[in-house]
């Protein structure tokens, strides 16, 4: 048996993409449910969507787009052997992830304190369509939020590996894969934003 | 060992893509506000898909990958479109 350190760059990356495909199908299923109910309850969805603040969604979109830029720059910096620049870009990405989540937390808190949580009497009184809108809103942005947390965790792990020298200018596929996941999180939000916030 | 053929994208490219993404986000918000009450989902979806393509093509490096990666991506996209199409056929003709 060979004890040499086997390393398959393309294999690692294909593995990551295959995982991303399962994520696309996971969110795709939820988008399908959304599409069917929006088609069934167009007016209720519009009514419900008006309660979401476009400015908050817009701010979170800019945050995620910018974090995607810093994530992409982290990869190209490491490829150019600029280790510390790469570490700074990763820190920036994780910091933006935190800002996104804080924003999301404040937003959810304001809905909940306004009595718009799933199963709330005020929401049930509004009828089926709006109830479904909020149900989907919480499930989809919640699942997305979990992915933000996971992506930030993966990036932090790679940060440590770069510090330890396990990931460097010759072996950066771990960083590339973590960053690919981060871009997927951005990709999902690109669709969530217009579908939930821009129904006006 | 990693081969030397990996293309390192310039910062300028990434920043231009980011600027385009921000511009498209502003456009989608303006369009939504100019068409209050319009239930159409088409324009926001076209803009979102343009943004998604930019992210996939440049940020996710697909432009610089082997052909295999580009073809692979068609699998989940086509799967989703088929499921979406069949579901809506069911809803429309029920």
């Amino acid at each position: 048996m060979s004890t040499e350190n086997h390393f398959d760059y393309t294999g690692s990356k294909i593995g990551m993409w295959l995982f991303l495909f399962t994520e696309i199908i996971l969110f795709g299923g939820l988008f399908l449910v959304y599409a069917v109910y929006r088609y069934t309850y167009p007016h209720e969805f519009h009514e419900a969507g008006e309660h979401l603040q476009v400015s908050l969604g817009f701010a979170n979109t800019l945050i995620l787009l910018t974090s995607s830029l810093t994530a992409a720059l982290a990869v190209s910096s490491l490829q150019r052997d600029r280790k510390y620049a790469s570490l700074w870009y990763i820190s920036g990405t994780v910091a933006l992830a935190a800002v996104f989540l804080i924003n999301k937390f404040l937003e959810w808190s304001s809905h909940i304190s306004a009595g718009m949580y799933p199963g709330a009497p005020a929401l049930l009184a509004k009828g089926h369509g709006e109830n479904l809108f909020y149900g989907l809103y919480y499930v989809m942005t919640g699942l997305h939020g979990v992915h933000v947390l996971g992506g930030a965790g993966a990036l932090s792990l790679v940060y440590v590996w770069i510090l330890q020298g396990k990931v460097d200018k010759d072996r950066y596929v771990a960083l590339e894969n973590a960053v690919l996941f981060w871009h997927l999180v951005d990709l999902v939000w690109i669709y969530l934003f217009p579908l939930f916030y821009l129904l006006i | 060992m990693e081969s030397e053929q990996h293309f390192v994208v310039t910062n300028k490219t990434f920043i231009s893509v980011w600027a385009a993404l921000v511009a498209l986000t502003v456009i989608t918000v303006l369009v939504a506000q100019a068409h209050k009450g319009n239930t159409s989902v088409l324009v926001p979806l076209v803009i979102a898909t343009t943004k998604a393509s930019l992210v996939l093509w440049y940020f996710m490096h697909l432009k610089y990958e082997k052909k295999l990666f580009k073809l692979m991506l068609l699998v989940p996209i086509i799967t989703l479109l088929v499921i979406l199409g069949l579901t809506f056929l069911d809803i429309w003709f029920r």
Side-chain angles (χ1 to χ4, degrees):
Chain A
M1 210 180 94
S2 156
T3 51
E4 73 174 284
N5 211 347
H6 180 69
F7 190 76
D8 181 353
Y9 175 78
T10 307
S12 307
K13 229 174 174 181
I14 287 180
M16 190 64 203
W17 274 100
L18 288 177
F19 170 62
L20 295 187
F21 294 165
T22 68
E23 295 278 76
I24 292 175
I25 297 294
L26 170 68
F27 279 101
L30 289 169
F31 280 114
L32 180 69
V33 176
Y34 173 95
V36 170
Y37 284 129
R38 178 163 170 174
Y39 178 81
T40 318
Y41 301 100
H43 301 298
E44 289 85 346
F45 266 49
H46 278 255
E47 282 278 298
E50 276 194 11
H51 297 291
L52 297 185
Q53 279 192 17
V54 178
S55 54
L56 275 178
F58 181 69
N60 264 351
T61 307
L62 291 187
I63 290 165
L64 275 196
L65 290 177
T66 309
S67 75
S68 251
L69 172 67
T70 55
L73 289 172
V75 175
S76 56
S77 299
L78 193 65
Q79 287 171 326
R80 292 195 191 94
D81 201 15
R82 294 180 59 215
K83 177 180 163 184
Y84 289 98
S86 179
L87 288 173
W88 275 112
Y89 283 130
I90 296 173
S91 317
T93 310
V94 174
L96 287 168
V99 176
F100 177 91
L101 286 175
I102 291 167
N103 217 339
K104 202 78 224 157
F105 170 77
L106 294 175
E107 198 183 6
W108 273 30
S109 306
S110 83
H111 302 318
I112 290 168
S113 61
M116 302 298 269
Y117 52 89
L123 199 52
L124 289 174
K126 283 185 181 247
H128 211 44
E130 295 193 32
N131 206 6
L132 280 166
F133 177 88
Y134 273 94
L136 281 165
Y137 167 78
Y138 278 113
V139 169
M140 292 177 83
T141 59
L143 186 65
H144 178 264
V146 171
H147 280 76
V148 171
L149 210 56
L155 286 167
S156 309
L157 185 65
V158 176
Y159 184 96
V160 174
W161 285 345
I162 294 176
L163 278 181
Q164 291 174 342
K166 287 181 187 165
V167 172
D168 59 22
K169 74 169 199 329
D170 296 316
R171 292 187 170 212
Y172 48 78
V173 74
L175 176 61
E176 267 192 301
N177 284 347
V179 165
L180 276 177
F181 184 79
W182 189 256
H183 291 314
L184 182 96
V185 170
D186 187 20
L187 216 59
V188 172
W189 185 262
I190 283 176
Y191 283 96
L192 287 178
F193 173 57
L195 291 181
F196 282 104
Y197 293 84
L198 299 180
L199 286 152
I200 37 175
Chain B
M1 278 295 105
E2 296 188 18
S3 56
E4 304 74 51
Q5 61 179 6
H6 298 301
F7 186 83
V8 182
V9 187
T10 60
N11 290 0
K12 201 182 150 196
T13 306
F14 280 148
I15 292 167
S16 314
V17 170
W18 173 81
L21 289 168
V22 171
L24 284 167
T25 308
V26 172
I27 290 171
T28 195
V29 172
L30 292 179
V31 167
Q33 279 169 353
H35 295 271
K36 270 183 192 288
N38 184 352
T39 56
S40 170
V41 75
L42 193 68
V43 175
L45 273 190
V46 168
I47 295 176
T49 304
T50 310
K51 286 167 72 183
S53 310
L54 282 172
V55 170
L56 282 162
W57 204 240
Y58 291 100
F59 282 174
M60 296 176 87
H61 235 254
L62 217 49
K63 184 184 176 188
Y64 314 99
E65 298 289 358
K66 297 185 180 84
K67 206 175 178 184
L68 171 68
F69 287 87
K70 295 167 192 164
L71 290 175
M72 270 174 24
L73 181 66
L74 291 176
V75 176
I77 293 177
I78 291 172
T79 308
L80 270 183
L81 288 178
V82 167
I83 295 172
L84 193 70
L86 290 176
T87 307
F88 272 89
L89 279 179
D90 179 31
I91 290 172
W92 286 328
F93 297 107
R94 188 173 287 227

